[in-house]
Each structure stands twice: as C-alpha cells, then as structure tokens.
Amino acid sequence: MKISNPVDVPVYTVAGSETARQLPEWLIRKRKRSLKQDPDFANRVELLQDFEFEEASSCVRVSEDGNSLMSTGTYKPQIHVHNLPQLSLSFARHTNCLNETFLLLSQDWTKSLHLQADRFLEFHTAGGLHYSTRIPRYGRDLIYDRHSAEALIPAAGVNAEGSGEVFRLNLEVGRFMKGFEVDVGGDDLTTAGAGALQGGIAAGSVNTGSIAEDSHNLCAFGTSLGTVEFWDSRQRSRVGTMSPQDALDGRSEITALTFHRSGLELAVGNANGRIHLYDLRSPVPLLKKDQGYGSPVKNLIYLDSAVSTRAQTSEPKILSADRRTIKIWDARNGSHWTSVEPAVDLNHVEWCKNSGMLLTANEGRQQHAFFIPQLGPAPHWCSFMDNIVEEMSENPDDPSAFGKTPGGEVYDNFRFLTTAQLKSLSLDHLIGQTSLLRPYMHGYFVAQKLYEEARLISNPDLWQEQRQKSIQEKISKERESRIRGNKKVAVKVNRKLAEKMLEREEKAERRRAKRVLERGGDDDMETDKAPAVGAVDEAPKPVKSVLKDPRFARMFEDEEFEIDETSHEFQAVNPSTKFPKGLTVVEQEELESQKGSSGDDSSSESEEERARPSKTALSQDKNRISTSEYKKSGHKSQRGPQMVVSSSNRKPRQSRDQTFGSRVSKLKDRRAPTSANNTVVGERQITFAPAKMQKKPAASVSEGQRHDRKDRRSASGNVFRKM
C-alpha cells in the first residue's frame, strides 16, 4: 500500500493504478517469473479479486447489509457483484447497453434497478434480467422513494408544455404515474418559466435529485438553470425554489445534491466545482467551498459514522469529489482535512458506512480503494487492514510513526531488560542519565552491543560457558543425526506390552510396503481394490492401532490396569515366562535336579520324570547343544554315577503335616522299627545303591545272516529268528 497526503491525515491506497505498474497483456506471461523480484509487485495488496473492468467503470455501490458490492462498467457493458466477506467476485453479467447509474432496492444485491444509456430501465434479480421498460427521454439520475415505492428518474429535455420532467414509476402498481414538472428555463437558458421547444437542441434538463428519507421525505431536484426545486412526495406539489448564486459566474448548473440525516441541511454542488451549504430555514448559504479544478462536482457525501475509534475525529465531515480529486473538509468552517488525487478520472465515489474505506468507479482499468484510519475503522469484511496499517505506522513517511528514526530501527538490535536485570549487569546507574536506555512499559530497551559488553564485564568466564554450550549443541546435533534403535514408547503402565505391539505394527507396515513395491502400484489403489469372488484377501486393510485408540487409553495410563506377570493366569497364557530365557538343555536339567534334591517330598513327580527336559525348554532355543549330541561328541557327564531307586513296596504317600509342631510331636512318638524295611507307622525305608554304567552285550548273530544293519530290512517276517 502507498501513503498519500502524509502531512496531516494519511490516506492508504489499497487498490488502484498507483499500487503497481500496469503491464501489457502480452507481457504478463513472459514476465511472471521476473515479477517475483519486482518490489512494487511483491508489496501489492489485492483487496478484492478482479476489482476491475476491461476499460472503465461507471458506478459502484455497497449493499445496506455490508456483505455485497455491485459495480458497472465497460467494455463490454457488464455488471460485477463481489462477495465482500469472501473478498472474491461472485459473478459477472453482461448487458445490452452502457449503464448510467443504478440503485440497490433490497438489503442485499438480489434486487437492483439500472438506468441504461438507451432510455431503458432494467430490473435485475438473482436469476438475471427480470423486466425492462422504456422511458420517453434520456434519464440523468435515479432516485428511489422507499415510502411510496416509486422510482424517480430526472430526465433531459422538456414535455409538451415546455417544462422539465421527473418520471415516476410506481413499483407496487407497476405503471408510470404523473411526473413532477420542473422549470428548466427557455431556449436561451436564461429566461425562467416555460417556453422551451420540445426536442430543441438547447433545451434544459433536470440533472440530479435527492430525497431526505431519514426525516421529512422532501425531494430536491437540481436543474440546468441553476435552481433547486423542492417537492412534497405526499401532495405531489412544488414546495419551494432556491437559486444558489455565485459572485464570480452567477448561476450554473446543479450537478450534485445531498441531504443531511437531520433533513435541515442541504449540500449543493454546481458545474464550476463549487459547493454551497444551506440551511433550509435560511436563503443565505452557511458556507461556500471551492473544489479547485473547475470541474463539475460528481458526489457529495455526509460522513456521519456511528462507530468511533481512538484515531477518529468527532467533527462532522463532508466528502466532495469531481473528476480530478476527492476532498474531505469540515462541515462547520470548511477547513481542509485531507484529500486524494488518483491518477485517472473519477466517475463515482462510494463510502462504506461506519468505516474509513472509500471505493471509486473511474476511467482506469482498476477500480480504486482508499483507506483513511482517522475517518473510521476498517469494514468488517477486511478487518485485517487495521493490523496492516499499524505495522506500516513505523514508516517514517507516516506522521503517526514512533519517533523520527528510519523504519525498522525502533526495535532492531535492541534488547528489553527489566530493572532487576539492569542491576545484575551494573547498568542501573544509567537510568535517567543517558539516552542509551529507552524506557518502555516496565523495563528499558538497551542496545544489543552495550548489553553484550556489560555481560562480559560482569561475568568474565562467560566465554568458557558459551564455548561449552556450543560444543554441547554440536554433540547433540550429531546425536540426532544418528540412526536410532528401537523407539521408546511413551506410556506409564504396561511398557513391555506396548513395545511388543509397536514392534508387531512396524513389521506389518514393512510387509505392506514391500508388497506394494513388488506390485508396482499405489498403496491407496491397492487397498481400495475389492477382492475377487472366491479369492482370499491376502492384504487386509490396516486396523487402527490399539496404542492410538482412545478406548484403550487407560490400559497404558492407569496403574489399576497393570499386568501382573507373576500371576497364575499370566503364566498359563505365557508359559515361556516360567523359566529364564536363554538356558541350554544341560543347564535346564541341572536346574531341575537341584530342585528335585532339595528334600521336598511334596512333589508328585518322580526323579526320572524330573530328569527329562521339558518340551517347552526344548522349543525355546533350538540352537543350543542337546544332551545326546553332547554325549556323542565324546564328553562325559559331570554328574557322577547314576542313583537307582529301589523300594520293596509302593503305596500312595500320605499327606504330610503342615505345621512344624505337629511334625515334632510325631517324631517323639515313633518306636524302633521291627524289620529292616518296615516301620511302626507303616512307612518304607529307601536306600540308594550306586551302580556303574555297563555296556550292553552284543546280540548273538548266526553265521549266515547279520542283523546289525538297522537300515536293511529282513526278508523273513519271522521275528523269532532274530532272537
């Protein structure tokens, strides 16, 4: 955005011909890449999408609800409607002829009345052209009386009686009513009263009109004769006539009229660029204002905002615009407030109510948008403009900028310190004594260079700390670049289960990625394919992870859901947890033998059953050396001679007393045994007789046949020959 008029009140040009250089259409495609380096193009703000016409625009209006914007232009003749909350163009509609002016009849854009250059009035709705009718003579302006639902069209020329006419089209009845006959002078444009020839070249006209719809609903019409006639819409009669005169050039054509909201004040603009402010109760103007360029005044707007801001001034303002400039001045004394001079001629100016935004229809291709923060806040559909303006306030060209320093020097290379931090650096003696400390809120801004020097003086070993810190940062950066191992699961409870599930998911993901690479297709396409009839789906769709499922979140967070690995239920489901993982079969046998020789007679298994390796232990580690392979390799068992159990009688053992006292009492009552093997209480005495291992004798084999070959099958089926 560019700033214009930086003297008193800054004006920001948001959109228009001044924001960026215009390029020929045949150069746009060529210079698209080079425009990235163009500062004018890079710093542009595109407020509304396609807020332009191919040649020029004639009129622009904002709807009463503030959500729509309609504008007309050429060439080709067309109508643009913008959706303001979306900052985009809704649609473009073409017409048969150029548009002079238009009005929005509804709160939004859906109903509009357009005055065409070929004497047609067109009614447009959301669906398109609804109805069109023709008027007898060319229209100059368009006014809508909401109280009587009538469209008033001031026209050029005179009727059969030699008077100018304002056509009345009643929209409720759907037909023309008797118009207002306004005196527009004779053929010489100097004599008053009727007498002009109908269709004459020098015939007068009713140029413009205005209606005080917020108060007494009085209609005012400005004529080419330089007079203003007031008509009462209820009685359809003339109320009075006013003749604004200037000492320099006398009476001139009235080109602009507007009522104040109170209805007691009227602003009149003529073809010589002069504005007269009248009180309806007095024929003498309150003040006179010269636009300065001698061009006809096109627009007069009372800027009465209902929303106030800190930067906004409370004095009433009036906007006056001709084809060269837009001026805003004080309504009380006529003092200049601010002005805008676009690079192209203006056709119409629209003010977004209760804001500081001005939109224009002009002769250039791009329509202009100006934002004045002191006039009002940004509209609700572009509230971000306030933030952009605040950022640009640091520009030295803006009078509201902070200080006189160049832009970007206010906070760059400065550090904010509190009073306690200044005391720790021994800089508190500079407070209020020098400009090196800039007070701001609860602290001070200190130059970064001064801060570094004071920090080194207060802590001489700072460079060593800084060096250690930089070394540690490099080491940590190198560690981050290394390939990490297993991922750590961030859970509070059941970490082993979570790691196991995560490892299973990673394996499934690797298998799926490998399968997709083998097929050479996209993963999404492969998963979306439905399996054929009767075929088995080898790659099921991935299921949502349990770790990420909120239904099982408490399982890994609440301690009440912690798995007890020592419980019987857990060991029944996971039998591998009974024995230590990684033991060989020999070590397992030794562990079993130690348990068996502990003197616990409550075990129901025999010594031979304990000596056998369990199937679970054999299945745990197949890479370990088994007992048979250990013996075949020539190693002897380190367990010593085998112990053979002998018993004279086998009976089921009785249950042993549980308490120590009961066992001691029984030992005292025992008597001497009657025999070597039997006791009084019916127990049996067991002895262990060590015996050496002996080789089995070789079986006797007949001379004619050998049976030592196990891999050879005997031809005879008689098994008694082998004995």
Side-chain angles (χ1 to χ4, degrees), residues 5 30 46 56 74 164 218 365 403 406 410 413 417 476 512 666 707:
N5 191 22
K30 273 187 181 180
E46 189 176 0
T74 186
L218 195 65
R365 177 170 183 171
V410 180
N413 300 325
L417 299 176
S476 60
R512 188 179 63 83
K666 286 184 179 182
H707 296 280

Side-chain angles (χ1 to χ4, degrees), residues 333-349:
N333 51 18
S335 60
H336 177 77
W337 192 60
T338 188
S339 62
V340 183
E341 293 187 10
V344 293
D345 292 346
L346 297 173
N347 292 328
H348 185 262
V349 179

Side-chain angles (χ1 to χ4, degrees), residues 137 157-162 187 195-201 203:
R137 289 183 296 278
V158 294
N159 56 9
E161 287 77 13
D187 293 338
L197 296 178
Q198 185 179 8
I201 299 175

Side-chain angles (χ1 to χ4, degrees), residues 214 440 505:
D214 294 332
Y440 183 77
E505 292 175 3

Side-chain angles (χ1 to χ4, degrees), residues 11 16 32 273 299 306 334 374 480 673 689:
V11 179
K32 259 188 178 180
N299 288 94
Q374 296 186 22
E480 290 178 359

Side-chain angles (χ1 to χ4, degrees), residues 261-274:
R261 187 169 53 185
S262 63
L264 298 177
E265 195 172 317
L266 177 68
V268 181
N270 58 23
N272 294 328
R274 292 180 177 85

